Amino acid sequence: MRLPIAAGAATMAVTISLYPLFQGGAWFWASLGAVVVVTAVGVPVSRYSLPAWLAPLGQAVAIWIYLTAVFAPEKAWVRVVPTRESVVGLAKLLVTGFADIQRFAAPVPAKPAITLLTCSGVALIAIVVDVLASRTRRAALCGLPLLALFTVPAAVATEPISWPAFILAAVGYLGLLVADGRERVGHWGRAVLVRRASVTARTVADVGPLRLSGKRIGLTAVVLAILLPALLPTLEPSPLFGFGVGNGRGKGTNSISISNPIVSLRGELSLPNNSEVLSYTTTDNLPRYLRMYALDIFDGQQWTMTGSSGLPEDRISQEPLPPPPGQGRQVPVTTVTTKITVSGAIRGMEFLPLPYPPNRVQIEGDWRPDRDTLMVFSTEDTAGGLTYTVVSDEPKPTAEALRSAAAAPREIAERYLQLPRDLPREVRDLAVRETAGETNPYEQAIKLQEFFTGKGGFTYTLAAQGHDEQALTDFLIRNRAGYCEQFAASMAVLARVLGIPARVAVGYTGGAKLGERWQVRTHDSHAWPELYFEGTGWLRFEPTPAGLTGQGSATVPAYSRVRAADAPDDQPSAAPATGSDSSDPASGSASNPRNRRPDLEYGGSGPIVVEEGTPLAARIGLGVVAVALVALIPAMIRWQLRARRRRVSSRAARPAVVVAEAPGTVTVRTSLWHQATTATWAELCDTLYDHGVSRGPSESPRALAVRLAAQHGFDAPAEEAVTRIATSAERMLFARTPGENGPTREDLRVVRRALAASVPRGRRIRAVLLPPSTLARARAVGTRLLDVFDRLENFRLTGRKA
């Protein structure tokens, strides 16, 4: 009967670790109910020794009824008994749940379909654990399904699982093992036939020491599992999951499927280690946004992308890429060559980070461009550790050219203006209200950007979560707090409302200057909107706040600022600039790229100084120092205790106060002397224990002093010192008066030196670095704590029947 309850408790303890995956608590209460149902069916099967196969069968039926009553009561008979309609309803809900978990990022909204899927999974784990623990008596194997449940949040959630959740899960599993051990060991003993009662009794073995040893091992394992990872240096980037958001493969085909880039974006921004992803150089020494994905589909909850395709004849070699959609020959362009080196630690990067629009890409391997978006991907290779060169023709439009842009062609409008029919009316009204008075798409786009970066009152935070139907409205109307995903997605939606073709790009900002190169790290992961203007093509806009209060390396492009776009300095030149403006290094002209700086007024972050990071050797050194400090904790505790006893023992030199109150009676005021003698004797005993010298339990202080002097060859000063300490201890225990002279700090020092000189070097080192007396006290504290658990375990609300 104990095992089914322990199995249910262990399953629920591990289930708590799923908390980072969900919003609200509906999943928890539904899962708790499922575990209770499984346990309630398993207890009577064990209690009445029914056939073991009845338990999983009955539990499956009970869970079916439970899920029907919770998730499809309106289609069940009497709201409980399953019917054909309820079975179909549950099946449809499960299919919806599988679809929802692919659409939403953690924490997912509290949808009934997702809750049903979670509850069903937890119930299945609970049944498996009960079968292994209670029916087959293989409690140790329960760690496999419990570990499978525990690894779900560890693999999906971007935030690490908190240590209290880990402790609960570990304690739950250890509790199951303890319960199984008690069931097994409790049957030890020999059968005794009691003739008068005509029954066979069994003497129960004393399992207390075994149970205590098991608890000690379990407690030590949990403590080490929590403390050791915090002390050891971490490897970065993560060798398990890697970086880069594309992870789907389609080897041997002309297409590739990837996980949702938006879902992975916040994961990179939230990583604790800001590791290097890539570095690059440009011919004009200016930073570039590096785009990987272009998301064109908005379903009302999130942005996704149309599947990419690349023909065999489109393989990148020395041939130019397809021309950028919408970019005419009249628009001035600047040709820039970018050389990019991707970190060798990157895993699964199947889309190349590129400045838009790329014209040529020189790279090893089978890489192909998507003709519509110019994303470059591979179905066979990954970019980790590669170096490639990109030649891009960046448009430099004027404000007048953008104002006079013609309407987008039909194929662009049909694809990049689609919005769900149920888009909230207040979102549409917001787009119209914030661009009131502007009829030109270019001016409307600038108004939208200024709404997000200025007058809208938005704040940047990674704590913003959620992808349900209300997420867009909450961000735009209510809380106005989020990170680049919300800013980019919201501006693209508002642009489509106004009839401006828009999509969401995902990649990296330009990063920070490090020597002669630009360095891009995981926290430079970014999303931004791209808007279409006929004749110029797709242009980047930046609604996300930058600088210290936003995403630091984000910058607003010059053409999206009316003043900068209209200024003469930003007008493109058909020929290289000549004269003093281009040759004078002190010149502030725009023709000198080294003197161009992001405009801080419009969200530029200015020059950023990036530290090289802690070298590997330094990290290893810090780890060694940390481990050494932890190892020295017992020595520091011993030193502190010895110092305190020295201060107390210094009082022994003070004369004792003796007061005669009546003939034949003497009262001795010995409080200070008593404390000093006690401290001195305790320090001597600990010193002996630290140096491996035993003391018999019935050995008197005087006998101990004689044995030490003879056995360890003490000289005269050491023999006198140990004798003085022993005499003082004897008088404290047995004499009416303390005596004239007590032990001093010098006596302890002399005895400790003499003792250290008589033992091997290994014992002396151990006495200093790992004093056994301190470790013995720690074991005693642990034993007392475990005794408390034993008392709680043996606590009964009612007396045991005779």
Side-chain angles (χ1 to χ4, degrees):
M1 182 174 174
R2 180 185 291 112
L3 281 178
I5 297 177
T11 304
M12 202 60 220
V14 177
T15 302
I16 293 176
S17 64
L18 299 177
Y19 75 93
L21 304 181
F22 304 95
Q23 298 178 8
W27 69 274
F28 174 80
W29 299 113
S31 301
L32 177 61
V35 173
V36 170
V37 169
V38 171
T39 305
V41 175
V43 167
V45 175
S46 299
R47 176 69 177 82
Y48 298 104
S49 301
L50 299 177
W53 59 268
L54 283 178
L57 181 61
Q59 289 165 344
V61 173
I63 285 296
W64 182 17
I65 297 174
Y66 170 75
L67 296 178
T68 301
V70 174
F71 296 99
E74 65 282 353
K75 298 180 180 180
W77 184 58
V78 200
R79 301 183 66 85
V80 175
V81 181
T83 61
R84 181 178 179 181
E85 290 76 12
S86 67
V87 172
V88 173
L90 288 178
K92 290 182 178 179
L93 207 57
L94 284 174
V95 172
T96 304
F98 276 107
D100 285 345
I101 62 174
Q102 301 297 325
R103 298 166 52 206
F104 298 115
V108 298
K111 288 179 167 290
I114 296 178
T115 304
L116 171 62
L117 190 64
T118 305
C119 182
S120 302
V122 172
L124 178 61
I125 295 294
I127 293 175
V128 173
V129 171
D130 181 80
V131 170
L132 292 175
S134 305
R135 315 307 156 197
T136 64
R137 295 298 178 90
R138 297 291 186 270
L141 293 180
C142 295
L144 295 178
L146 294 177
L147 180 62
L149 184 62
F150 185 80
T151 54
V152 172
V156 175
T158 58
E159 299 292 339
I161 300 175
S162 63
W163 62 267
F166 169 78
I167 290 179
L168 284 176
V171 169
Y173 179 57
L174 292 176
L176 177 59
L177 295 180
V178 169
D180 179 70
R182 292 191 64 180
E183 287 288 329
R184 293 176 181 274
V185 180
H187 289 83
W188 292 359
R190 57 187 180 86
V192 178
L193 180 63
V194 183
R195 298 185 181 278
R196 292 183 180 181
S198 299
V199 296
T200 300
R202 183 177 296 274
T203 59
V204 180
D206 182 13
V207 299
L210 289 175
R211 187 167 65 247
L212 184 61
S213 298
K215 290 178 181 177
R216 287 174 177 171
I217 295 173
L219 180 62
T220 303
V222 173
V223 172
L224 290 178
I226 295 174
L227 294 181
L228 285 182
L231 299 176
L232 297 177
T234 58
L235 297 176
E236 47 179 329
S238 169
L240 179 60
F241 300 106
F243 301 108
V245 292
N247 57 12
R249 287 288 182 100
K251 286 186 177 294
T253 67
N254 295 328
S255 63
I256 184 172
S257 60
I258 65 168
S259 60
N260 191 336
I262 288 292
V263 172
S264 302
L265 174 63
R266 184 175 181 271
E268 290 199 2
L269 290 173
S270 304
L271 285 172
N273 297 323
N274 191 17
S275 306
E276 179 179 340
V277 177
L278 56 89
S279 62
Y280 65 94
T281 59
T282 58
T283 52
D284 61 358
N285 202 30
L286 291 178
R288 293 294 188 281
Y289 273 41
L290 303 175
R291 191 195 65 167
M292 296 177 67
Y293 310 101
L295 313 182
D296 59 326
I297 300 174
F298 180 65
D299 61 3
Q301 298 179 10
Q302 65 176 352
W303 285 84
T304 56
M305 58 185 284
T306 303
S308 303
S309 61
L311 301 177
E313 58 268 22
D314 290 337
R315 286 189 179 95
I316 294 176
S317 54
Q318 300 297 323
E319 297 298 324
L321 275 66
Q327 184 171 317
R329 296 182 178 180
Q330 295 78 15
V331 62
V333 298
T334 299
T335 301
V336 179
T337 301
T338 306
K339 188 174 183 180
I340 302 173
T341 300
V342 181
S343 171
I346 300 301
R347 300 290 181 268
M349 182 180 282
E350 294 154 337
F351 281 68
L352 294 182
L354 301 171
Y356 185 85
N359 180 273
R360 293 175 181 267
V361 180
Q362 298 178 2
I363 187 173
E364 297 180 356
D366 183 11
W367 296 87
R368 309 177 187 182
D370 179 79
R371 287 181 171 268
D372 295 330
T373 61
L374 299 185
M375 296 183 296
V376 176
F377 64 93
S378 176
T379 60
E380 298 180 359
D381 301 306
T382 58
L386 294 182
T387 297
Y388 54 95
T389 302
V390 186
V391 179
S392 54
D393 294 332
E394 300 177 356
K396 296 296 181 182
T398 63
E400 187 58 34
L402 293 176
R403 290 191 185 99
S404 59
R410 180 178 179 181
E411 60 272 13
I412 294 293
E414 288 180 350
R415 179 175 178 179
Y416 296 102
L417 287 179
Q418 291 185 6
L419 288 171
R421 295 181 179 179
D422 58 349
L423 186 71
R425 185 65 187 177
E426 49 190 339
V427 174
R428 297 181 182 272
D429 294 340
L430 176 67
V432 175
R433 183 172 64 252
E434 293 300 327
T435 58
E438 302 292 348
T439 57
N440 185 275
Y442 170 64
E443 302 290 353
Q444 291 175 333
I446 292 179
K447 284 284 189 179
L448 291 180
Q449 180 174 271
E450 292 177 348
F451 168 65
F452 287 104
T453 58
K455 63 179 182 179
F458 288 86
T459 57
Y460 181 90
T461 174
L462 287 175
Q465 300 171 350
H467 297 272
D468 56 13
E469 295 88 344
Q470 297 298 322
L472 178 65
T473 306
D474 290 342
F475 175 72
L476 286 173
I477 308 299
R478 299 180 180 90
N479 53 49
R480 295 194 173 181
Y483 61 105
C484 57
E485 172 195 342
Q486 283 85 13
F487 285 96
S490 299
M491 182 171 175
V493 169
L494 296 183
R496 288 192 177 187
V497 169
L498 298 173
I500 307 173
R503 64 190 184 191
V504 174
V506 179
Y508 298 94
T509 62
K513 194 67 176 296
L514 185 64
E516 295 298 323
R517 304 182 65 84
W518 293 88
Q519 185 183 55
V520 175
R521 300 190 176 193
T522 50
H523 290 182
D524 294 317
S525 300
H526 194 47
W528 62 91
E530 291 182 341
L531 276 56
Y532 181 88
F533 296 91
E534 182 64 20
T536 302
W538 292 99
L539 292 178
R540 173 179 71 88
F541 284 76
E542 187 53 271
T544 304
L548 297 178
T549 59
Q551 190 154 353
S553 53
T555 56
V556 175
Y559 51 76
S560 66
R561 293 171 264 161
V562 178
R563 290 176 298 167
D566 288 334
D569 287 344
D570 271 4
Q571 295 292 336
S573 175
T578 60
S580 60
D581 287 343
S582 61
S583 61
D584 184 5
S587 173
S589 172
S591 61
N592 187 352
R594 292 184 178 272
N595 293 323
R596 301 180 202 170
R597 293 292 182 265
D599 192 335
L600 300 178
E601 180 183 355
Y602 289 91
S605 59
I608 301 176
V609 179
V610 179
E611 297 180 356
E612 288 282 359
T614 307
L616 178 60
R619 291 200 300 270
I620 295 177
L622 291 176
V624 172
V625 171
V627 172
L629 290 177
V630 173
L632 289 176
I633 289 178
M636 291 186 288
I637 294 176
R638 181 73 178 91
W639 177 84
Q640 184 181 17
L641 179 60
R642 182 183 298 119
R644 189 180 69 202
R645 286 172 174 171
R646 284 177 178 176
R647 291 192 298 269
V648 176
S649 64
S650 63
R651 304 171 184 174
R654 301 179 184 179
V657 179
V658 181
V659 179
E661 296 183 348
T665 63
V666 177
T667 300
V668 184
R669 310 294 186 185
T670 61
S671 58
L672 294 178
W673 175 82
H674 186 281
Q675 294 175 11
T677 304
T678 302
T680 304
W681 180 250
E683 178 61 24
L684 176 63
C685 293
D686 283 351
T687 301
L688 295 177
Y689 190 76
D690 290 341
H691 288 83
V693 179
S694 61
R695 174 179 174 241
S698 61
E699 191 174 21
S700 66
R702 181 177 302 179
L704 175 64
V706 173
R707 181 172 64 84
L708 289 178
Q711 184 175 347
H712 295 275
F714 283 3
D715 56 12
E719 183 177 359
E720 292 176 1
V722 73
T723 302
R724 200 159 28 246
I725 296 174
T727 302
S728 180
E730 280 191 342
R731 295 192 67 85
M732 178 188 67
L733 294 174
F734 307 113
R736 298 178 60 185
T737 59
E740 297 181 358
N741 297 319
T744 63
R745 296 171 54 180
E746 183 63 21
D747 292 333
L748 278 174
R749 188 179 64 82
V750 170
V751 173
R752 186 169 59 254
R753 286 184 176 180
L755 193 62
S758 64
V759 298
R761 179 181 299 177
R763 288 189 183 181
R764 293 199 300 270
I765 296 176
R766 184 188 63 175
V768 175
L769 299 181
L770 287 174
S773 60
T774 303
L775 300 179
R777 286 187 175 84
R779 287 195 297 268
V781 172
T783 301
R784 287 195 292 270
L785 290 176
L786 293 174
D787 290 342
V788 174
F789 289 114
D790 283 340
R791 294 189 184 97
L792 293 176
E793 184 179 339
N794 295 327
F795 179 74
R796 297 290 186 273
L797 293 177
T798 58
R800 182 176 296 178
K801 295 182 180 180

